[in-house]
Amino acid sequence: MSENISFSQFLIFSISAFLIFSFTSCELETSNNGDLDGFWHMVQVDTLQTGGVKDASEDLIFWSFQLNLLELSDHSYSNPIYMARFNHDSGQLKVTKPCLYDRYEGNKMVTEENLEVISPYGLNALEETFRVEELSGSRMTLSNGTLRLYFKKM
């Protein structure tokens, strides 16, 4: 009988140890991006120097934020997908290191020579710093002195 109790105690200990290590060995990454995280539809682009206004609500340009990655996608498939890094801090959004997303041949960095490829997404430099004028669970407005971009959260 004492042999059975020892085996039962060993079994309970083993199962408990397995469960504890299973739940503590994996750490989930979370972001502190708040309302910024998610899928944003670009609905309007204002050119600040000329006063021009483009209604982009029928265009299918999206910015998607997760952790420190930004995906720039055109769901009309007129433009390829780009990825970039971002930092959101103190009312500013800094977008850096844009690259063409290519799952099969590897991502290709955007350079000064091909900078125009990211302009449909409202980016005109390899590093853009936007002032976050509005950010809520449903709307976002960004301005960089040249453009004001309006987004609606999906």
Side-chain angles (χ1 to χ4, degrees):
M1 190 66 129
S2 66
E3 208 173 292
N4 287 340
I5 294 172
S6 295
F7 179 73
S8 298
Q9 288 174 337
F10 174 75
L11 186 60
I12 290 171
F13 175 77
S14 297
I15 292 171
S16 298
F18 173 76
L19 291 173
I20 288 170
F21 288 119
S22 294
F23 290 117
T24 59
S25 64
C26 295
E27 185 177 313
L28 296 175
E29 283 192 59
T30 59
S31 76
N32 295 320
N33 295 330
D35 287 332
L36 184 63
D37 270 346
F39 195 59
W40 294 89
H41 179 210
M42 186 185 300
V43 295
Q44 183 175 315
V45 178
D46 294 353
T47 305
L48 300 177
Q49 294 175 355
T50 64
V53 175
K54 179 185 181 211
D55 178 2
S57 62
E58 298 297 317
D59 298 342
L60 299 173
I61 300 292
F62 292 90
W63 287 25
S64 302
F65 296 91
Q66 184 178 7
L67 292 175
N68 64 350
L69 286 176
L70 168 60
E71 179 186 270
L72 306 163
S73 57
D74 178 352
H75 287 245
S76 70
Y77 306 106
S78 299
N79 298 289
I81 296 172
Y82 290 88
M83 303 293 283
R85 296 287 182 181
F86 76 90
N87 183 29
H88 177 226
D89 189 36
S90 301
Q92 291 192 331
L93 177 69
K94 186 172 184 178
V95 178
T96 62
K97 299 181 183 175
C99 64
L100 172 67
Y101 176 69
D102 189 337
R103 174 179 279 178
Y104 303 105
E105 295 184 27
N107 297 344
K108 295 173 183 70
M109 298 302 293
V110 175
T111 64
E112 290 290 339
E113 289 76 36
N114 66 348
L115 196 55
E116 72 281 350
V117 297
I118 55 175
S119 64
Y121 299 104
L123 298 174
N124 295 303
L126 296 177
E127 289 192 6
E128 288 270 15
T129 301
F130 293 94
R131 188 172 55 121
V132 180
E133 294 181 351
E134 178 185 9
L135 179 60
S136 69
S138 62
R139 298 202 166 285
M140 175 172 64
T141 306
L142 305 175
S143 175
N144 67 357
T146 304
L147 299 176
R148 180 170 290 119
L149 309 175
Y150 296 87
F151 295 86
K152 179 180 176 188
K153 196 167 198 176
M154 302 307 290

